[in-house]
């Protein structure tokens, strides 16, 4: 709470992504002008042309690394950032584009591009933390704007952000929602997924599909077993764990357990 | 519900505002804050306060000053995480939130006529210092007084100058050991437990006060029992996560005990079984 | 009218009771059908109560069903415990404002909400009594809970059916409401709709009952009411093994069953959220971007999270084995040392609402087998 | 011979990563390229083998700015393949959430991305110093749009409530009431927006566009309609492939979407407006007239007014839907997967968004094709760039650069979307 003499400088960087996480910052309609008053938004090309070069107190990084050039670029950004926070499933787990990690990227390119030789891409989509040290990872596909504001404010204040790593279930119950898995038999990834979204899927009568990635101590195998009892087949289980956070280790391992050759059902 | 107490005006989780009077460094990443606490009402050695840095958070920190010193209270903090770092950055005049004192203290009142061995590891000396100061103030009432202190390395020794001063006194024996020696160090090297046998001359009449990392306390307790002290004569100060310090939040449970209320200082016979259990 | 006198209250009388409470400034809460379950919510009359609804409960399974009868309270343990109101999931504690070096702390005022709970079951009466112990009878009572609790008006209902996961009989907490209520009802199904054998448990309850009762209950009606509760007691879905649970659990911290349950446990925390006695909380600090105002909020916490036992360098209970053991040992053993009662009232919620159906009675039985 | 290259390596205030390069030789524009270096993410590849019912959640991630559009085109295409029709309140709710996305996305573009160009600022936060009230109005409007998406969809970006067949959960009547209040205020703000942007300085720059948009028998188009143009095209969505091609462009490996005859065309607000002016709400028509727009607007700079008019229309439409809303018995119609091919096209804020799926007997996708609006507009944008720059060549370099940027931003290009189909060489200079 000690006022800082110079306004801290914020930069927002984009790697392979849908732009949604950085848009969350512009979606903070109520806070945006306060944020702009408290910090110097020095680099945010989605929102402004101006560029202040040099070092940044806080860099928010969206997106995953999918090109050799990006792998270089993130090193430079790290070197120029005092605190580097990754935002969103792409930056923290490789994102939906990490589905290529389970396939041959050349096939992928050939299927979309007649001249795939010109496509500059790596065989994998990887989280930022695979390339440089990251100070804090904010999960979600997309991040929650409440948590985004909290993360920015907390880093400026030197506080630990209130971004618990526990399950979506806790959030679900704090809200007083009905468990869709227990009361409807709808498979739900909430028990193995990190809180933060506000349990919006159960709030809309559907199971969580894991867009915040694995919670702190996920027991994916036990949940998968339960989902199987509720009627999910092997392919469905594989796909359930292989989506927006497919490359997060706990989800990757669980999805691989349901690959054709590995299924133990 | 008529038998229920009237709700108190003050919520026990609401801090009062106090101000830093002085601040000095007491080791690498370790700072002592002297705090002006208008509402200060004294404390027992071994007790702790909940300190809030506004906008950052609240943590339990032991009282490390002299219990005789009225409303000027001291806390010695190692900057390890967000709140302790923010505490360590506070300057004279800065406000902070304060609740306490809480917890059981060292049984300093019950030591008349006994030998006292104080075993401290690292920052564990902070909550023991008030006990030492109090015992020194009534030195004539107790028998042999020994401080056995272990630090990671010579530069990590807490309250080094004060320890030197104590070391020069004749009424307290001070033995310091380090895990890793650096060049000018000519003292002991090794774990603190190796010094314990020497500190105990009359085990049946000795009381031990122990504070340090949990693993060190386990070994110290074993060494003290080996030296012949009964479990009832060994007192340990434990550490657990704490949010409320008044027995409401549940975090600090250590078996059946709430550390904030039933501890942090426990007699070994009460916790010996738990101390041996992992992840309890 | 003496408190022990039983009277008959018709549906209209119950409706009048709700109305009277509402007029007295109570926020009246009762069971309602919502999102596929029976959960407590605001009610303004009997027609919002779940007449004709029932439930089926089992480990990790809850289904709302049609009861086939027009009884109002024909269901069992609800999806949520009443603690949601008395000890809410989130509660702001204070705000601090800063002006230069001056900081002022503004304590949150004690709540002045008055609740009236309709349809509290015996297990939940015990649960409330347990939270009373924890939150009001220590050296530092929780003033917010105390304030809400002081004003609380309770209309209890004796269970006419035991749920699939209920085991109150074996915990000695039900199914009959014996104390801790202002009014207790037993529903008597009848041709022209239910009526209730009602009993007052407090002067406040007696006064209200006087206004809404039809007539004194007959001996037959009283006997019928008792028979209903006796039948319920005999048809419990589950039972806690008959053991000295405290000794059993304290003596078995290294039982292999803890590893077994750790394989199944999701550490999701659902059991602690739904349990009517679990009281643990954490605090969260927030501050505005300019740093002039900060807030501390209390929220429900679970001993299944890593944060719960975090001390610098890591969590004390890092394994799920240790966390499950902490939860169950606290519930059934150390709670007794701490508060003189078990921390479990046999409501069965943790069994029903565990997504994978882990069953506290079954885990105890496995440990008891040696 | 003098060659001048005007380039901007990182195009600001567009969604995604793009750049442009204009080469001028001897006073004449030789080439104008909008480059996209957003790395490919291979949506059409990984959609193969996924369940068709996953497509709405998966394709939403193509673009964080218009996820509802992707979800809508996906559900319509898959419902087309499954032979499902959705009508009544569920259909109305789909239009309602789409209104939300239009309001949000247009307000973002008008206030945060585009207006700063007209008023001479680097961005909206900059602009807020002198035009705080306008920026606040923009934010409030944007918030109203987001409120619709969040209420119906669960959150603003990548809503969770949209599914094949309808929704997972439909709102209760009374949940919509506070929204109506907010929208009534937003409506006024939208009207102010039209007036505000109408007062900007616009260069005279008319172009003879081939406009392409959906047209519906009685609605301004969101979800449904036939694909029509001002050149006489009038086809069902399923014929899209026959009339639009992705063409190889000589100077790069980029494929632009073009008409079958190779000509460029334009989708988006200008096209929608020109082809559906008669379907706008009366207040929106009135506001358009008042601001000097005819029933057709061919000046891309004035696109900002058209967007403002569409915000007003979306507010009116949303209010009408809320007023008429009756909670349906079920949140979605029954969904029976069956093999087939399905097409869907809806009007994303930036224009026509086409999806096509081939689905097998297990309900899995075997082929997917997605043609977003920016792909379709790229040829037009480049032509515009080439056309405009000629007139500004005397300007100092930075101003010229800015003019070029502005020209591109007229189209509100969404490059995050664009990359999933654009075949571009990544050419770094
Ligand atoms: C009774 C008692 C007395 C203590 N006395 C001192 C002292 O005199 N000097 C000193 O430097 N430290 C002392 N500690 C430890 C101190 O409280 C922790 O180092 C501090 O909480 C760390 O918080 P942080 O935010 O800086 O760092 P982090 O380690 O990142 O902590 C994050 C959060 O975890 C919790 N936490 C972490 N470690 C502990 C811990 N050991 N105990 C309780 N909660 C914890 C807190 O809630 C904290 O807010 C004491 C702890 C206890 C229980
Ligand atoms: S609905 Fe999902 S998130 Fe909520 S409690 Fe159930 S399993 Fe957990
Ligand atoms: S409930 Fe799960 S899938 Fe839904 S938004 Fe939250 S984390 Fe994402
Ligand atoms: S432990 Fe389970 S059965 Fe016992 S009171 Fe809690 S939720 Fe009910």
């Amino acid at each position: 709470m000690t006022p800082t003499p110079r306004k801290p400088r914020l930069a927002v960087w984009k790697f392979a992504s849908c732009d949604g996480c950085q848009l969350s910052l512009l979606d903070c309609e109520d806070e945006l002008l306060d944020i702009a008053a408290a910090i110097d938004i020095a680099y945010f090309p989605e929102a402004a042309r101006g560029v202040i070069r040099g070092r940044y107190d806080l860099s928010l990084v969206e997106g995953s690394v999918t090109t050799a050039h990006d792998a270089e670029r993130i090193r430079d950004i790290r070197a120029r950032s005092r605190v580097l926070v990754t935002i969103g499933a792409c930056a923290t787990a490789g994102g939906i584009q990490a589905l290529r990690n389970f396939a041959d990227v050349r096939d992928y390119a050939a299927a979309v591009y007649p001249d795939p030789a010109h496509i500059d891409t790596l065989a994998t989509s990887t989280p930022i933390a695979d390339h440089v040290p990251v100070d804090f990872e904010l999960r979600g596909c997309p991040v929650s704007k409440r948590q985004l504001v909290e993360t920015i404010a907390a880093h400026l204040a030197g506080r630990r952000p209130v971004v618990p790593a526990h399950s979506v279930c806790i959030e679900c119950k704090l809200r007083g929602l009905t468990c869709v898995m227990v009361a409807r038999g709808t498979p739900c990834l909430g028990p193995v997924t990190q809180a933060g979204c506000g349990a919006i899927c159960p709030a809309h009568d559907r199971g969580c599909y894991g867009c915040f990635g694995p919670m702190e101590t996920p027991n994916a195998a036990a949940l998968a077993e339960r989902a199987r009892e509720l009627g999910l087949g092997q392919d469905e289980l594989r796909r359930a764990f292989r989506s927006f956070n497919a490359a997060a280790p706990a989800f990757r391992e669980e999805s691989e357990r349901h690959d054709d050759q590995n299924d133990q059902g | 519900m008529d038998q229920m107490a009237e709700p108190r005006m003050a919520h026990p989780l609401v801090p009062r505002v106090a101000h830093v009077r002085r601040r000095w460094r007491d080791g690498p990443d370790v700072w002592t804050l002297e705090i002006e606490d208008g509402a200060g009402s004294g404390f027992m050695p071994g007790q702790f306060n909940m300190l809030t840095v506004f906008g950052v958070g609240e943590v339990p920190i032991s009282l490390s000053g002299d219990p005789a010193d009225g409303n000027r209270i001291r806390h010695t903090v190692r900057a390890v995480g967000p709140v302790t770092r923010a505490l360590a950055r506070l300057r004279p005049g800065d406000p902070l939130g304060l609740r306490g004192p809480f917890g059981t203290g060292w049984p300093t009142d019950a030591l008349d006529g006994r030998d006292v061995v104080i075993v401290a590891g690292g920052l564990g000396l902070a909550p023991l210092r008030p006990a030492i100061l109090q015992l020194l103030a009534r030195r004539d009432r107790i028998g042999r007084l020994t401080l056995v202190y272990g630090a990671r390395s010579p530069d990590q020794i807490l309250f080094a100058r004060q320890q030197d001063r104590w070391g020069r006194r004749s009424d307290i024996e001070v033995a310091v050991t380090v895990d890793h020696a650096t060049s000018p160090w000519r003292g002991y090297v090794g774990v603190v437990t190796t010094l314990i046998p020497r500190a105990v001359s009359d085990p049946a009449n000795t009381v031990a006060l122990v504070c340090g990392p949990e693993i060190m306390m386990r070994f110290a307790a074993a060494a003290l029992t080996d030296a012949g002290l009964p479990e009832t004569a060994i007192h340990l100060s434990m550490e657990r996560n704490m949010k409320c310090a008044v027995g409401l939040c549940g975090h600090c449970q250590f078996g059946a005990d709430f550390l904030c209320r039933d501890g942090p200082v426990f007699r070994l016979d009460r916790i010996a079984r738990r101390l041996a259990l992992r992840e309890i | 009218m003496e408190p022990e006198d039983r009277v008959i209250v018709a549906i209209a009388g119950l409706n009048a009771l709700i109305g009277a409470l509402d007029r007295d400034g109570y926020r009246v809460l009762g069971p309602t059908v919502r999102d596929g379950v029976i959960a407590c919510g605001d009610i303004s009359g009997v027609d919002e109560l779940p007449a004709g609804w029932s439930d089926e409960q089992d480990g990790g399974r809850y289904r709302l069903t049609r009861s086939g009868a027009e009884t109002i309270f024909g269901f069992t343990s609800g999806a949520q415990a009443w603690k949601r109101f008395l000890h809410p999931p989130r509660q702001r504690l204070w705000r601090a404002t800063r002006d230069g070096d001056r900081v002022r702390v503004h304590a949150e005022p004690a709540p002045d909400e008055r609740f009236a709970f309709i349809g509290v079951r015996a297990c939940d009466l015990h649960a409330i009594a347990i939270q009373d112990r924890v939150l009001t009878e220590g050296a530092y009572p929780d003033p917010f809970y105390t304030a809400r609790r002081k004003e609380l008006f309770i209309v209890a209902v004796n269970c006419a059916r035991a749920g699939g996961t209920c085991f109150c009989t074996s915990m000695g907490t039900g199914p009959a409401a014996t104390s801790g209520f202002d009014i207790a009802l037993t529903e008597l199904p009848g041709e022209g709709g239910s009526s209730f054998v009602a009993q007052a448990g407090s002067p406040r309850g007696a006064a209200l009952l006087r206004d809404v009762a039809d007539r004194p209950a007959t001996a037959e009606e009283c006997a019928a009411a008792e028979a209903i509760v006796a039948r319920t007691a005999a048809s419990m879905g589950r039972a806690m093994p008959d053991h000295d649970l405290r000794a059993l659990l304290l003596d078995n911290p290294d039982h292999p069953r803890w590893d077994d349950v750790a394989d199944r446990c999701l550490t999701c925390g659902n059991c602690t959220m739904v349990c009517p006695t679990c009281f643990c909380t954490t605090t969260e600090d927030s501050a505005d971007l300019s740093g002039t105002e900060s807030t501390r909020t209390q929220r429900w916490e679970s001993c299944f999270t890593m944060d719960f036992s975090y001390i610098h360098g890591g969590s004390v209970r890092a394994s799920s084995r240790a966390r499950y053991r902490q939860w169950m040992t606290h519930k059934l053993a150390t709670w007794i040392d701490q508060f003189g009662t078990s921390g479990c009232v046999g409501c069965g919620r943790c069994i029903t609402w565990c997504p994978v159906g882990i069953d506290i009675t079954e885990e105890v039985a496995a440990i008891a087998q040696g | 011979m003098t060659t001048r290259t005007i380039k901007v390596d990182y195009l600001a205030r567009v969604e995604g990563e793009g750049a442009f390069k204009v080469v001028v030789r001897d006073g004449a524009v030789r080439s104008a390229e909008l480059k996209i270096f957003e790395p490919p993410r291979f949506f059409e590849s990984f959609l193969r083998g996924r369940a068709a019912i996953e497509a709405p959640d998966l394709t939403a991630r193509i673009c964080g700015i218009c996820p509802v559009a992707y979800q809508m085109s996906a559900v319509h295409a898959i419902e087309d393949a499954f032979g499902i029709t959705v009508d009544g309140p569920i259909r109305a709710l789909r239009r309602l959430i789409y209104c939300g996305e239009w309001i949000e996305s247009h307000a973002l573009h008008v206030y945060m991305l585009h207006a700063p160009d007209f008023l001479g600022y680097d961005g909206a936060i900059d602009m807020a110093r002198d035009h705080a009230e306008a920026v606040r109005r923009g934010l409030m409007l944007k918030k109203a749009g987001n409120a619709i998406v969040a209420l119906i969809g669960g959150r603003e970006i990548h809503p969770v409530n949209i599914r094949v067949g309808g929704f997972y959960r439909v709102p209760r009547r009374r949940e919509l009431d506070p929204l109506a209040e907010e929208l009534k205020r937003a409506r006024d703000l939208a009207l102010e927006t039209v007036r505000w942007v109408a007062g900007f300085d616009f260069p005279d720059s008319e172009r003879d566009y081939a406009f392409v948009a959906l047209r519906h028998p009685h609605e301004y188009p969101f979800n449904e309609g036939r694909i029509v143009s001002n050149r006489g095209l009038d086809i069902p969505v399923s014929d899209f492939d026959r009339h639009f091609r992705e063409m190889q462009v000589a100077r790069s490996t980029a494929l632009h979407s073009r008409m079958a005859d190779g000509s460029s065309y334009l989708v988006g607000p200008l096209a929608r407006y020109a082809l559906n002016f008669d379907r706008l709400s009366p207040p929106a028509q009135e506001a358009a007239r008042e601001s000097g727009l005819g029933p057709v607007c061919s000046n891309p700079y004035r696109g900002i007014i058209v967007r403002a008019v569409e915000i007003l229309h979306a507010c009116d439409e949303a209010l009408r839907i809320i007023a008429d809303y009756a909670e349906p018995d079920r949140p979605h119609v029954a969904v029976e997967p069956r093999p087939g091919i399905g097409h869907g096209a809806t009007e994303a804020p930036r224009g026509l968004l086409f999806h096509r799926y081939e689905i097998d007997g297990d309900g899995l996708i075997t082929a997917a094709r997605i043609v977003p609006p920016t792909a379709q507009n790229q040829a037009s944008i480049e032509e515009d760039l080439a056309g405009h720059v000629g007139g500004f060549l005397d300007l100092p370099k930075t101003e010229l650069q800015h003019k070029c940027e502005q020209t591109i931003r007229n189209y509100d290009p969404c490059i995050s979307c664009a990359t999933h189909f654009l075949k571009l060489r990544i050419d770094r200079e």
Side-chain angles (χ1 to χ4, degrees), chain D residues 248-264:
Chain D
Q248 187 91 33
V249 182
R251 62 180 146 69
S252 82
T253 53
L255 282 184
H256 299 179
S257 208
R258 287 177 183 259
M259 303 277 221
D261 64 3
S263 58
S264 69

Side-chain angles (χ1 to χ4, degrees), chain A residues 1 167 173 176 182 216 219, chain C residues 63 84 263 268 270 291 306:
Chain A
M1 233 160 104
S167 68
K173 287 287 187 287
V182 170
E216 52 192 6
N219 187 348
Chain C
R63 289 295 179 279
R84 159 164 299 282
D263 281 346
C268 63
N270 269 303
M306 293 290 272

Side-chain angles (χ1 to χ4, degrees), chain B residues 85-148:
Chain B
R85 268 200 291 271
L87 278 169
R89 272 198 305 267
L90 293 179
R91 301 287 141 140
D94 281 349
L96 79 169
L98 199 144
R99 299 191 288 126
F102 298 115
T104 55
W106 303 106
T108 42
D109 290 340
L111 299 181
D112 288 5
R114 315 282 300 262
D115 286 359
V116 180
V117 180
I118 292 182
V119 186
L123 205 66
L125 185 56
L128 280 164
R129 184 166 66 171
I132 298 173
L133 294 173
Q134 197 172 66
L135 292 175
L136 287 173
R138 43 172 123 126
R139 184 63 191 87
D140 49 328
R141 292 209 239 154
I142 58 168
R144 182 180 171 202
L145 175 62
T146 317
L147 166 65
V148 177

